[in-house]
Amino acid sequence: MQTLLIVIIAAAIMAGMIYLHRRHWGFTKLVLLALVLGIIGGGAVQLIYGPTSKTVTNAIDWINIVGNGYIALLQMLVIPLVFVSLVGAFTRLTARTNLKRMTTNVLGILLSTTAVASLIGIVSVLIFHLQGASFIKGMAADSTALSAIKSHQATLQGLTLPQQITNLLPTNIFADFAGTRSSSTIAVVIFSLMVGVAYLGLRNSQPDQARIFAKGIDALQGIVSRLVKMVLELTPYGIFTLMVKATATSSFASIAKLGTFIVAAYVAIIIMFIVHTLILMANRINPVTYYKKAWPALVFAFTSRTSAGTLPLNVKIQRDSLGVSSSVANFAASFGLTIGQNGCAGIYPSMVAAIIAPTAGISVTSWQFILTLIAIDVISSFGVAGVGGGATFTTLMVLGTLNLPVAVMGVLIAIDPIIDMARTALNVNDSILAGVVTAKNLDELDHDKLKDQTNIVANEL
């Protein structure tokens, strides 16, 4: 009976959000409301019943049909979105665009900032004295989470770093489109790049066939974008139920003990945002104007926790508000979705590795360890999935390469949603930054559009 009551109350709250949506409430306001209501609702459930109560377990199981369904639909869209976005970026290339310079610029910014983010993650661990994982003593790892982590780890077991890199290459592209491997995303990225290069060759030799192909990709991208919009309509309800689950099942005592880690992660992320700002200033781009225009994408990424879902808005802001050319915007946003994510592939894996390393007798302050970890982070940043869980797999690749134990992750995963919001915003900002700086370097930046303070793209669906 109590389980049913919790489910009915949750359903009533979601019905209220549907009503507000129909009354044309702003999408961002609705998502933020869902976030707040989810935290309050989950906290209330935990206070009344406790985090391990059978009533809570059963109720969350029912409520999260919505949350888990939302995540599943987002995961469904990642592979098609990556493919059409990357190939579409090639079909939109103009004759005057220097593909080599553009690719070098975009990847250079994404990977170099990931290296800096990795270093900042290590420094943050040292500043807050988290090395050695003493702050989680007495805490038990979530058995379900630990089982899932070990399952992921099993796919990497026994592989050296060169073998892991080779494993990223596509062997059966249809299997990778089906997502049968943990490295399917990067395999599809590689295949998409090969298709794009093949298209450029076809455009030179058989322009009529190339035009037909480009029209087909354009139509396919339109369909995928419409699918993304349909799924993102569920964001407020998915966020509400996921936050209810996170706050109802993660004990306040555990969150309090892990508070230092949360603060350290947020400090590292804020510092990385400052690094992004310094890069903008070095390229004579007004940071105030930039953040004012990028803000809708950053807020959406923070609340939805999905870089993939933010991709259409990311491209639109770069192109229509920041003055980045269409080809550069598509390249930067698409590459940033799966390569060089500062939060999920830079800061987080390096923090976890630096925390665990002393338990294996490794000195975190050793330059050999620091440089090795940064290099592994950068290499592992290829193929990060643009939805929740990407950081976990990247971190497992890093830990596996360094031969470090993974049990600590079973504890940290309890507060992962709290950190993942800021990580995702940082990931999206890095791809927008790469687009703006690359466009400026290639003289494909519309400065008048960039300086227009009134030209702000709305993030309404």
Side-chain angles (χ1 to χ4, degrees):
M1 184 64 186
Q2 290 176 326
T3 296
L4 181 61
L5 179 63
I6 295 171
V7 173
I8 289 172
I9 292 172
I13 291 172
M14 284 188 280
M17 289 193 290
I18 292 172
Y19 172 77
L20 291 174
H21 182 62
R22 289 179 176 173
R23 293 295 299 266
H24 306 292
W25 250 50
F27 184 76
T28 300
K29 287 196 294 182
L30 197 58
V31 171
L32 289 173
L33 177 65
L35 186 69
V36 172
L37 290 176
I39 293 171
I40 294 172
V45 168
Q46 182 179 157
L47 286 173
I48 296 169
Y49 299 101
T52 58
S53 163
K54 190 174 181 180
T55 298
V56 172
T57 303
N58 291 337
I60 293 300
D61 203 27
W62 281 100
I63 292 170
N64 255 272
I65 290 175
V66 177
N68 293 335
Y70 170 68
I71 294 297
L73 290 172
L74 282 175
Q75 290 172 334
M76 170 193 75
L77 290 172
V78 170
I79 296 295
L81 195 56
V82 167
F83 176 73
V84 299
S85 297
L86 280 175
V87 177
F90 279 91
T91 61
R92 287 174 174 78
L93 283 176
T94 59
R96 72 186 189 90
T97 301
N98 187 319
L99 177 61
K100 184 177 179 181
R101 279 190 66 200
M102 180 174 63
T103 305
T104 303
N105 269 264
V106 170
L107 288 180
I109 294 166
L110 291 174
L111 297 178
S112 61
T113 52
T114 298
V116 174
S118 177
L119 178 60
I120 290 171
I122 298 168
V123 172
S124 183
V125 168
L126 294 173
I127 290 173
F128 285 88
H129 305 291
L130 301 178
Q131 64 270 32
S134 59
F135 67 101
I136 61 169
K137 281 184 179 176
M139 296 180 66
D142 179 88
S143 57
T144 305
L146 192 57
S147 175
I149 288 168
K150 287 184 176 179
S151 175
H152 274 298
Q153 188 189 31
T155 64
L156 302 172
Q157 198 72 36
L159 295 179
T160 64
L161 184 58
Q163 289 171 335
Q164 289 182 34
I165 294 171
T166 305
N167 196 46
L168 299 177
L169 297 173
T171 51
N172 181 343
I173 195 58
F174 296 104
D176 287 321
F177 269 107
T180 56
R181 299 189 299 158
S182 54
S183 58
S184 286
T185 303
I186 189 59
V188 172
V189 168
I190 294 168
F191 177 74
S192 302
L193 294 176
M194 293 175 68
V195 171
V197 172
Y199 162 79
L200 294 179
L202 187 68
R203 188 173 68 177
N204 292 331
S205 61
Q206 300 180 52
D208 290 338
Q209 289 189 18
R211 274 194 292 272
I212 294 171
F213 178 81
K215 285 182 179 179
I217 289 295
D218 193 46
L220 191 59
Q221 192 162 21
I223 292 293
V224 173
S225 296
R226 178 61 60 176
L227 284 170
V228 170
K229 184 176 180 179
M230 289 165 59
V231 173
L232 293 183
E233 292 276 5
L234 301 173
T235 298
Y237 320 107
I239 292 298
F240 168 72
T241 54
L242 289 170
M243 289 312 299
V244 167
K245 178 183 178 181
T247 51
T249 57
S250 301
S251 72
F252 293 137
S254 297
I255 293 174
K257 283 186 177 181
L258 294 173
T260 307
F261 177 74
I262 296 171
V263 172
Y266 268 79
V267 166
I269 290 167
I270 290 169
I271 292 173
M272 198 60 213
F273 267 110
I274 294 172
V275 171
H276 288 181
T277 304
L278 293 174
I279 293 172
L280 289 169
M281 293 171 67
N283 285 274
R284 297 182 180 179
I285 296 167
N286 187 330
V288 176
T289 302
Y290 169 87
Y291 282 112
K292 183 179 179 182
K293 295 191 171 196
W295 186 248
L298 301 184
V299 171
F300 184 85
F302 183 85
T303 51
S304 66
R305 293 171 53 210
T306 164
S307 302
T310 313
L311 182 64
L313 182 60
N314 183 335
V315 173
K316 189 176 182 182
I317 285 175
Q318 287 193 55
R319 186 186 61 226
D320 299 343
S321 186
L322 290 168
V324 178
S325 67
S326 180
S327 55
V328 173
N330 275 278
F331 257 87
S334 301
F335 277 6
L337 176 61
T338 57
I339 298 171
Q341 292 190 355
N342 287 186
C344 291
I347 289 174
Y348 189 75
S350 65
M351 286 189 70
V352 175
I355 288 169
I356 296 173
T359 65
I362 299 171
S363 172
V364 181
T365 56
S366 160
W367 279 107
Q368 183 180 0
F369 171 77
I370 292 172
L371 293 176
T372 302
L373 178 54
I374 292 172
I376 293 170
D377 277 349
V378 171
I379 294 169
S380 300
S381 74
F382 284 82
V384 182
V387 292
T392 300
F393 183 73
T394 306
T395 305
L396 286 174
M397 281 188 68
V398 172
L399 297 181
T401 305
L402 293 170
N403 292 317
L404 295 175
V406 299
V408 170
M409 287 188 67
V411 177
L412 297 179
I413 208 159
I415 44 87
D416 190 65
I418 299 171
I419 298 171
D420 192 40
M421 294 187 291
R423 280 196 317 238
T424 307
L426 182 63
N427 296 338
V428 169
N429 193 63
D430 190 40
S431 65
I432 298 175
L433 173 76
V436 173
V437 174
T438 297
K440 186 176 185 299
N441 291 340
L442 299 181
D443 197 25
E444 293 198 25
L445 185 66
D446 187 334
H447 290 275
D448 292 332
K449 191 179 284 186
L450 174 62
K451 292 174 183 176
D452 185 356
Q453 298 286 340
T454 62
N455 184 20
I456 307 293
V457 171
N459 62 341
E460 307 302 319
L461 290 177

